[in-house]
């Protein structure tokens, strides 16, 4: 009998909605916390899903992924995880011609010019998820430097991006791809310009809704995935991918390319869980 493990974390206080839908659609699957002592070799496939506490123990998480990949199939694969868990990959995608939200990376000990901190900017760590450590700073370069210094004091490399105001009215769009095929989309209301709450303790609460991706959004999403595959050949065959886009006057811009443990927003699209289940089963032939 085929067995599939959906990797989560014991730090979640309740089962994630995506995980519950996938458990229902994929009866041969079960949730297992990546931190626990699990016989991963007993599974035909291990799918990284809600392992969202890895940001504070990335080396341990990557070592876990390496171990699992030696005894069974892990998706997405380790080289993709290693590349994708640090947002500095955005610089590579921008160099490859993808319309990326302008990004400046500042490692501890490095300096940054005032121009990068002018206006409304977002300062966040490059290793983060769920808006953890992200801060919107409104035309206050000193406050931006203070947050930058706080991140550096923690040993974190920082990412500085201009805040694209259209997100406040149009929201962020997430496009989901399964085995390279577009599946569905969801919209997320602006988070950083609002009072953030962390009811799960692991990520900022989100206001989500169903959405339809425009042709322009799909074009940018496919360009991002194609560029990732050119940069990293292992990214050419992904079980799942989520492309997060922000609206701008120049058109859709890539905010993040989520290839490690993204929510796939299955509750917001009819049949999404069944499509994910079918895609995962197909990996086993």
């Amino acid at each position: 009998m085929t067995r599939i493990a959906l990797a989560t974390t014991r730090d979640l206080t309740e089962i994630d909605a995506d995980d519950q839908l996938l458990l229902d659609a994929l009866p041969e699957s079960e949730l297992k916390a990546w931190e626990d002592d699990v016989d991963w070799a007993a599974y035909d496939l291990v799918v990284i899903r809600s392992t969202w506490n890895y940001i504070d123990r990335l080396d341990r998480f990557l070592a876990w992924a390496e171990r699992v990949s030696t005894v069974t199939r892990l998706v997405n694969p380790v080289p993709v995880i290693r590349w994708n868990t640090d947002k500095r990959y955005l610089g590579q995608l921008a160099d490859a011609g993808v319309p990326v939200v302008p990004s400046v990376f500042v490692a501890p000990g490095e300096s940054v010019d005032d121009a990068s901190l002018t206006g409304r900017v977002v300062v966040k760590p490059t290793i983060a998820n769920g808006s953890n450590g992200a801060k919107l700073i409104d035309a206050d370069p000193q406050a931006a430097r203070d947050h930058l210094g706080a991140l550096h004091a923690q040993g974190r490399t920082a990412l500085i991006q201009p805040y694209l105001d259209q997100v406040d009215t149009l929201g962020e769009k997430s496009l989901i791809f399964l085995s390279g095929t577009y599946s569905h989309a969801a919209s997320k209301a602006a988070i950083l310009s609002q009072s953030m709450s962390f009811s799960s303790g692991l990520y900022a609460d989100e206001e989500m809704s169903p959405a339809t991706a425009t042709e322009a959004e799909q074009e940018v999403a496919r360009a991002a995935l194609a560029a990732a595959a050119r940069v990293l050949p292992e990214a050419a065959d992904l079980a799942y991918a989520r492309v997060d886009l922000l609206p701008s006057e120049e058109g859709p811009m890539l905010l993040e390319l989520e290839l490690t443990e993204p929510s796939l927003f299955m509750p917001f699209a009819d049949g999404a869980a069944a499509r994910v289940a079918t895609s995962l089963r197909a990996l086993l032939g």
Side-chain angles (χ1 to χ4, degrees), residues 24 92 96 107 147 161 237 255:
D24 294 340
Q92 293 177 283
H147 189 50
Q161 296 175 315
D237 185 20
L255 177 64

Side-chain angles (χ1 to χ4, degrees), residues 28-65:
E28 61 269 42
S29 69
E30 55 187 311
L31 283 176
K32 291 293 179 181
W34 74 273
E35 311 99 315
D36 288 348
D37 185 13
V38 175
D39 179 14
W40 300 103
Y43 295 93
D44 302 284
L45 182 68
V46 176
V47 185
I48 300 175
R49 296 312 315 127
S50 47
T51 58
W52 297 318
N53 64 348
Y54 76 87
I55 60 173
D56 297 318
R57 58 209 84 180
L58 181 59
D59 288 345
R60 179 181 171 190
F61 179 72
L62 292 175
W64 166 82

Side-chain angles (χ1 to χ4, degrees), residues 19-285:
D19 288 346
Q20 186 59 65
L21 283 172
L22 194 49
L23 287 169
D24 294 340
L26 203 63
E28 61 269 42
S29 69
E30 55 187 311
L31 283 176
K32 291 293 179 181
W34 74 273
E35 311 99 315
D36 288 348
D37 185 13
V38 175
D39 179 14
W40 300 103
Y43 295 93
D44 302 284
L45 182 68
V46 176
V47 185
I48 300 175
R49 296 312 315 127
S50 47
T51 58
W52 297 318
N53 64 348
Y54 76 87
I55 60 173
D56 297 318
R57 58 209 84 180
L58 181 59
D59 288 345
R60 179 181 171 190
F61 179 72
L62 292 175
W64 166 82
E66 291 277 8
R67 289 196 305 273
V68 172
S69 70
T70 64
V71 297
T72 188
R73 182 169 183 178
L74 177 73
V75 293
N76 282 318
V78 172
V80 172
I81 298 166
R82 191 176 294 280
W83 178 74
N84 188 239
T85 45
D86 190 320
K87 299 184 201 312
R88 281 179 286 190
Y89 70 79
L90 290 171
Q92 293 177 283
L93 296 184
D95 290 342
V98 178
V100 175
V101 177
S103 302
V104 175
F105 305 96
V106 189
E110 294 181 345
S111 59
V112 61
D113 57 49
D114 287 337
S116 298
L117 303 175
T118 301
R120 299 185 88 193
V121 296
V122 175
V123 181
K124 57 188 176 183
T126 59
I127 298 173
N129 57 20
S131 298
N132 281 287
K135 191 171 185 179
L136 168 60
I137 298 166
D138 196 353
D140 189 342
Q142 187 54 53
R145 287 190 180 279
D146 289 345
H147 189 50
L148 188 66
L151 294 176
H152 285 173
Q154 299 168 12
R156 297 174 181 264
T157 295
L159 166 59
I160 304 169
Q161 296 175 315
Y163 187 76
L164 304 185
D165 292 323
Q166 288 189 19
V167 70
D168 287 336
T169 54
L170 299 177
E172 176 184 327
K173 190 76 66 70
S174 294
L175 281 64
I176 314 302
F177 289 77
L178 304 174
S179 298
T181 300
Y182 171 68
S183 171
H184 59 281
S187 182
K188 181 192 303 181
I191 295 178
L192 296 180
S193 59
Q194 312 299 319
S195 296
M196 289 194 292
S197 59
F198 290 80
S199 61
S200 74
L202 295 180
Y203 55 88
D205 296 332
E206 301 171 337
E207 182 182 335
M208 302 296 307
S209 59
T212 300
T214 66
E215 289 186 11
E217 289 166 342
Q218 292 193 46
E219 182 178 347
V220 171
R222 290 192 172 91
L225 291 169
R230 293 196 299 273
V231 170
L232 188 72
E234 292 87 348
D237 185 20
L238 299 169
Y240 50 81
R242 196 183 86 202
V243 187
D244 293 342
L245 304 175
L246 290 182
S248 76
E249 293 182 359
E250 291 77 30
M253 303 193 80
L254 179 69
L255 177 64
E256 290 191 33
L257 181 60
E258 297 272 12
L259 309 180
T260 302
E261 34 57 57
S263 290
L264 300 178
F265 302 135
M266 291 183 248
F268 303 97
D270 290 341
R275 289 193 294 276
V276 175
T278 298
S279 180
L280 294 176
R281 287 192 183 108
L283 296 177
L284 299 173

